[in-house]
Amino acid sequence: MENIIQRTSISQQVMDYILNLVDSGKLHPGDRLPPERDFAASLGISRVPLREAISALCVLGVLDKRQGSGTTVASFSPETLGRILRTYTMLDDTLSGSLFEARMAVEATAARLAAKNASRSDVDALSRRLAEMEEAIPAYVRGEMGLADMLALDDLFHLQCAAASHNQFYIQFVNIVHTAGTDLGLYEAVYGSDREKYYESAADHRRVLDAIAAKDGRRAEEAMEAHIRAIRANTEGRGIE
């Protein structure tokens, strides 16, 4: 039997091998993996790294392991992609330098699609999210509300905007970049030290909302781009990259 796995980091190589089988179409959703003993023998490895690889792929949503049923390839969903990308974002702190470019590409396009696809209920939901944020700012400025709670309200507006695009992939991507930015502490120096900056952010949100409500895709896209550029300028002005 050919020893397929020959280098170090065996469990990672097993993950790559299984992912390649899925990517090439040799494994499909619902297909069952061979029993662990047979699979490990075919790869020329012990069962320990195989189990580690399978466990990791189960966490990411690529595989589904159930007692008595074996391990199968999971059905794909945007949530699966979201779990994978969030995991790699958390593991690779060099991605912070690219986060604003990702936000610009993803959120501006999502805003444009939202202007095209948003229903009346979507616009109403966006209005409620913005109202919640605007109502909370005075309390935040007075120090009666924490930054984490304020950032959560901010994130909800952006997620609602992505939801109004009616594209599940944009919802997942927006969630990823916002979670990554918060986890990396990119916004603490701006909104933590200068709390009144949130008035500017709310005004930016208002311009995005007005454009979506008017079904003006170009204006919605430009408003979101301007908003993200402003955030980036503020963070870089405080030595954050």
Side-chain angles (χ1 to χ4, degrees):
M1 180 66 65
E2 179 185 1
N3 189 340
I4 298 172
I5 307 300
Q6 298 177 344
R7 301 188 298 274
T8 58
S9 302
I10 295 176
S11 61
Q12 179 61 57
Q13 293 177 65
V14 175
M15 288 178 64
D16 292 340
Y17 176 68
I18 294 173
L19 288 171
N20 284 334
L21 291 177
V22 175
D23 185 55
S24 65
K26 294 178 180 177
L27 283 176
H28 302 88
D31 285 352
R32 194 182 311 279
L33 297 187
E36 283 187 3
R37 185 187 301 276
D38 297 340
F39 198 7
S42 71
L43 298 175
I45 62 174
S46 73
R47 296 170 69 179
V48 173
L50 175 60
R51 286 173 178 169
E52 292 174 351
I54 289 175
S55 294
L57 290 174
C58 285
V59 170
L60 293 175
V62 176
L63 299 178
D64 183 16
K65 184 175 183 179
R66 299 184 182 182
Q67 189 69 30
S69 301
T71 303
T72 59
V73 179
S75 297
F76 177 79
S77 69
E79 289 78 11
T80 298
L81 177 62
R83 284 195 295 271
I84 294 171
L85 293 178
R86 279 194 297 274
T87 298
Y88 279 103
T89 299
M90 288 186 293
L91 293 176
D92 187 356
D93 57 9
T94 66
L95 293 177
S96 62
S98 302
L99 185 134
F100 284 107
E101 283 82 357
R103 286 194 63 180
M104 189 78 73
V106 172
E107 295 194 65
T109 304
R112 175 170 53 79
L113 284 178
K116 175 185 176 182
N117 298 328
S119 65
R120 183 69 252 173
S121 62
D122 289 323
V123 174
D124 290 343
L126 269 172
S127 297
R128 287 194 299 272
R129 294 303 187 193
L130 179 56
E132 290 169 357
M133 180 180 175
E134 290 173 333
E135 291 170 5
I137 292 174
Y140 178 65
V141 170
R142 293 193 300 268
E144 300 168 0
M145 183 177 183
L147 176 60
D149 292 331
M150 201 66 223
L151 285 172
L153 290 175
D154 193 335
D155 286 349
L156 284 174
F157 178 87
H158 285 267
L159 287 170
Q160 193 71 58
C161 184
S165 75
H166 291 266
N167 184 309
Q168 286 294 318
F169 286 96
Y170 281 111
I171 298 172
Q172 291 299 317
F173 281 126
V174 170
N175 188 29
I176 290 162
V177 294
H178 276 261
T179 299
T182 300
D183 289 347
L184 292 167
L186 294 183
Y187 313 119
E188 292 178 4
V190 180
Y191 298 113
S193 61
D194 188 354
R195 292 175 175 244
E196 292 195 1
K197 278 288 181 184
Y198 253 117
Y199 284 113
E200 296 178 12
S201 183
D204 287 347
H205 286 189
R206 173 65 64 184
R207 283 185 279 273
V208 172
L209 170 59
D210 288 346
I212 291 173
K215 297 280 185 188
D216 190 332
R218 170 181 257 179
R219 184 154 59 96
E221 184 174 33
E222 291 174 349
M224 185 63 81
E225 286 178 350
H227 175 47
I228 296 170
R229 279 197 300 270
I231 298 170
R232 181 169 193 173
N234 285 327
T235 58
E236 290 178 346
R238 287 163 171 76
I240 298 174
E241 181 63 42

